[in-house]
Amino acid sequence: MTKDTELRPEPGVPVTLAPGLRRVLAPNPSPMTYWGTNTYIVGFGELAIIDPGPDSPEHLEALLVAIGTDRVRHILLTHSHLDHSPLARPLARKTGAPVSAFGPSHAGRSAIMQQLAADGLAGGGEGIDAAFQPDQVLADGDLINGTDWQLEALHTPGHIGNHVCFRWDDAVFTGDHVMGWASSLVSPPDGDLTDFMASCERLKGAPAATFYPGHGAPITDPQQRLDWLMKHRKGREDQILAVLEEQIHTAQSLTEAVYTDVPKVMYPVAIRNVFAHLIDLVQRGRVTASPGLGVDALFAIVKPD
């Protein structure tokens, strides 16, 4: 985790971050959302709104004041968690703009996550906007244009299967995939650690000067932050494997052995992160799950012959 150098913004007050870019903070601070959700307004006169935020009449009113007489051409979603997407439909009704995203909340899931969901595993953490449906489905690489701006959709599953980032000139809006104040939650079956690491590699291969995250301050050292995230995940993997070298564990007992630095109230979230690692390790043949892959399974390390 890193420290934001910016002071917490005042919710509802537009802040200019760069020419043609404003941020309006939603009034939903929490341990999962930090200050609250960042809603971004891109453009002059003709606008794109990225991540309208939670179902908050107060935040809707703040956005409408910030928009003023400008035309909203696109409402874009990085993903459909309850702190990002519910206000999209009310904002669309007020502005007439279409809502665009990679798809509904189950879109983009890998085959293993589809199977776990079919077996009854439900997501945890920030909450899924199960009713979310975009007006327009974005594909990886799609370009979204305004009179003085262009955004490129980058499919970056990991935090959730329908997560996308948006490239804007030499900056990227990273949603919840990359944040400066904490690592991203990866909670199966919506979160997928294998996909998360691949998406980190993709962002490393598309250098940017600034990341604008869904929560917290802008990230001015994107490559360094990506390196930290990947190293952090690899370090957690090494811890899990070291514990499994000693004996068989469940995801819960592994969490208690590995997460010695977090309060127990955060264990349910930590268990989901550990389970995400275990799914990845099972798929790579490093760990076995008995009697089958599930959060209550017994996990054992695969010993070399």
Side-chain angles (χ1 to χ4, degrees):
M1 183 181 297
T2 63
K3 294 289 187 181
D4 280 336
T5 56
E6 181 184 359
L7 295 176
R8 179 180 181 270
E10 183 178 347
V13 177
V15 176
T16 298
L17 300 177
L21 175 63
R22 290 174 289 162
R23 177 190 63 204
V24 182
L25 179 67
N28 61 327
S30 76
M32 299 300 295
T33 62
Y34 195 39
W35 297 333
T37 301
N38 294 327
T39 298
Y40 294 103
I41 303 175
V42 179
F44 298 103
E46 189 173 80
L47 311 177
I49 309 295
I50 299 175
D51 286 344
D55 184 8
S56 165
E58 179 183 355
H59 190 50
L60 176 61
E61 182 59 28
L63 291 179
L64 292 174
V65 170
I67 291 164
T69 59
D70 291 347
R71 175 194 175 197
V72 179
R73 183 164 179 180
H74 296 280
I75 298 170
L76 305 173
L77 272 297
T78 61
H79 64 294
S80 55
H81 276 143
L82 289 172
D83 54 327
H84 287 257
S85 57
L87 204 62
R89 191 54 56 196
L91 185 62
R93 286 195 291 267
K94 290 289 187 178
T95 63
V99 177
S100 300
F102 188 78
S105 293
H106 62 269
R109 278 181 178 165
S110 64
I112 186 66
M113 296 305 167
Q114 291 180 42
Q115 184 59 56
L116 287 169
D119 291 343
L121 180 67
E126 294 158 295
I128 298 297
D129 187 354
F132 175 74
Q133 288 285 344
D135 300 311
Q136 299 176 352
V137 174
L138 296 173
D140 182 54
D142 277 357
L143 299 178
I144 305 102
N145 294 293
T147 53
D148 57 358
W149 50 264
Q150 183 179 80
L151 295 160
E152 180 186 5
L154 307 174
H155 185 214
T156 49
H159 177 66
I160 182 174
N162 72 348
H163 195 287
V164 293
C165 295
F166 294 101
R167 173 174 288 283
W168 175 61
D169 296 333
D170 64 347
V172 178
F173 297 95
T174 55
D176 283 6
H177 192 83
V178 185
M179 299 176 289
W181 66 282
S183 59
S184 178
L185 174 67
V186 180
S187 179
D190 305 300
D192 185 320
L193 186 63
T194 306
D195 283 352
F196 179 84
M197 296 297 279
S199 293
C200 284
E201 288 284 4
R202 180 180 189 187
L203 290 175
K204 278 186 67 65
T210 308
F211 283 170
Y212 293 108
H215 308 277
I219 298 166
T220 56
D221 53 356
Q223 291 294 311
Q224 181 178 336
R225 188 60 183 163
L226 285 166
D227 287 341
W228 183 91
L229 282 173
M230 298 174 75
K231 183 178 179 181
H232 173 73
R233 290 291 179 180
K234 182 62 169 62
R236 192 66 78 190
E237 175 185 298
D238 290 344
Q239 287 179 298
I240 290 169
L241 290 173
V243 172
L244 288 177
E245 283 279 4
E246 301 298 323
Q247 66 181 78
I248 294 171
H249 277 275
T250 63
Q252 180 171 340
S253 63
L254 260 173
T255 301
E256 293 168 355
V258 170
Y259 277 86
T260 58
D261 57 343
V262 300
K264 289 192 175 181
V265 70
M266 294 299 292
Y267 270 15
V269 173
I271 289 171
R272 307 297 293 213
N273 266 322
V274 167
F275 186 46
H277 276 280
L278 291 167
I279 295 168
D280 178 64
L281 288 166
V282 167
Q283 290 190 98
R284 289 159 51 199
R286 302 289 305 278
V287 167
T288 60
S290 179
L293 185 58
V295 72
D296 296 321
L298 288 172
F299 296 92
I301 198 164
V302 174
K303 301 287 187 179
D305 295 332

